[in-house]
């Protein structure tokens, strides 16, 4: 099985502190894990459309801004039988070992609305500070979904480098 995913790092600044949305994966066939919103891209669905759909299904939030969206180009109208989209995501991942092979992209984005209590195979979406995220990762990285561990570490490294946040 080979999967392609679009995943969200939904940020806001609340009282001068950066927060992001995390949720608990609640699939009946797997362990509960903390994860970022996002999921599988449907056939011929764009990264952006998948991101917007998955965030809404899982959290109830409406994506209002996507970092990198201004880089998006497509070939719509050039050849109606073959269209391609290119966009600059925040980061990309590929599994290099595990029970399934997948690739995906992370987008930093902003969203508005009210969080659901539970969504599409998810529950308890909530805002946490990046300090809390960093502490959770340091305390027990295995509490995070397999895929998102690397994405969260990538994000935390970015915050340390760009904003000198976290110690």
């Amino acid at each position: 099985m080979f999967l392609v995913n679009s995943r969200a790092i939904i940020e806001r600044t609340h009282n001068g502190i950066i927060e992001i949305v995390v949720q608990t994966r609640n699939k009946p066939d797997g362990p509960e894990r903390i994860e970022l919103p996002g999921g599988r891209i449907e056939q011929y669905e764009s990264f952006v459309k998948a991101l917007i759909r998955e965030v809404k299904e899982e959290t109830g939030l409406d994506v209002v801004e996507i970092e990198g969206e201004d880089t998006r180009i497509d070939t719509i109208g050039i050849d109606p039988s073959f269209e391609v989209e290119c966009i600059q995501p925040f980061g990309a991942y590929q599994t290099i070992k595990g029970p399934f092979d997948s690739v995906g992209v992370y987008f930093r984005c902003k969203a508005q609305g009210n969080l659901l209590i539970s969504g599409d195979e998810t529950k308890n979406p909530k805002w946490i500070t990046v300090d809390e995220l960093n502490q959770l990762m340091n305390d027990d990285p295995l509490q995070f979904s397999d895929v998102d561990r690397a994405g969260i570490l990538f994000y935390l490294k970015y915050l340390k480098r760009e904003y000198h946040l976290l110690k």
Side-chain angles (χ1 to χ4, degrees):
M1 180 180 348
F2 183 76
L3 307 171
V4 180
N5 294 288
S6 191
R7 307 199 62 76
I9 299 170
I10 305 168
E11 290 180 319
R12 74 176 182 187
T13 302
H14 185 70
N15 296 326
I17 297 170
I18 298 173
E19 297 178 328
I20 70 162
V21 173
V22 297
Q23 60 196 13
T24 303
R25 174 57 60 184
N26 192 28
K27 284 188 176 181
D29 60 342
E32 288 191 359
R33 300 269 194 230
I34 300 169
E35 68 169 18
L36 299 170
R40 257 183 249 166
I41 294 175
E42 295 173 0
Q43 189 172 19
Y44 296 113
E45 184 179 32
S46 75
F47 284 121
V48 170
K49 287 183 181 175
L51 181 82
I52 292 167
R53 176 183 54 77
E54 287 285 346
V55 167
K56 185 67 171 179
E57 289 174 358
E58 294 179 358
T59 69
L61 298 175
D62 295 307
V63 174
V64 295
E65 181 182 324
I66 301 171
E67 181 182 87
E69 192 169 23
D70 61 336
T71 68
R72 184 186 176 281
I73 62 159
D74 61 53
T75 61
I76 294 172
I78 295 173
D79 176 354
S81 68
F82 196 90
E83 297 171 348
V84 177
E85 154 184 274
C86 289
I87 191 166
Q88 181 179 333
F90 172 70
Y93 77 86
Q94 175 185 2
T95 57
I96 52 178
K97 185 178 183 180
F100 58 88
D101 194 8
S102 69
V103 296
V105 293
Y106 287 97
F107 290 97
R108 287 176 61 211
C109 56
K110 304 222 180 293
Q112 59 188 23
N114 296 315
L115 291 169
L116 299 171
I117 294 170
S118 64
D120 183 25
E121 296 184 329
T122 62
K123 66 180 183 180
N124 195 28
K126 62 184 176 183
W127 292 98
I128 65 169
T129 69
V130 293
D131 285 329
E132 289 172 302
L133 179 67
N134 190 47
Q135 189 63 52
L136 287 169
M137 182 59 78
N138 287 333
D139 288 348
D140 180 12
L142 294 178
Q143 69 185 311
F144 290 91
S145 72
D146 294 335
V147 168
D148 284 335
R149 267 183 235 126
I152 290 167
L153 289 171
F154 185 83
Y155 175 67
L156 292 171
K157 182 178 179 179
Y158 165 82
L159 292 176
K160 287 177 188 177
R161 184 181 69 242
E162 293 297 315
Y163 299 108
H164 307 291
L165 293 174
L166 310 168
K167 293 179 177 144

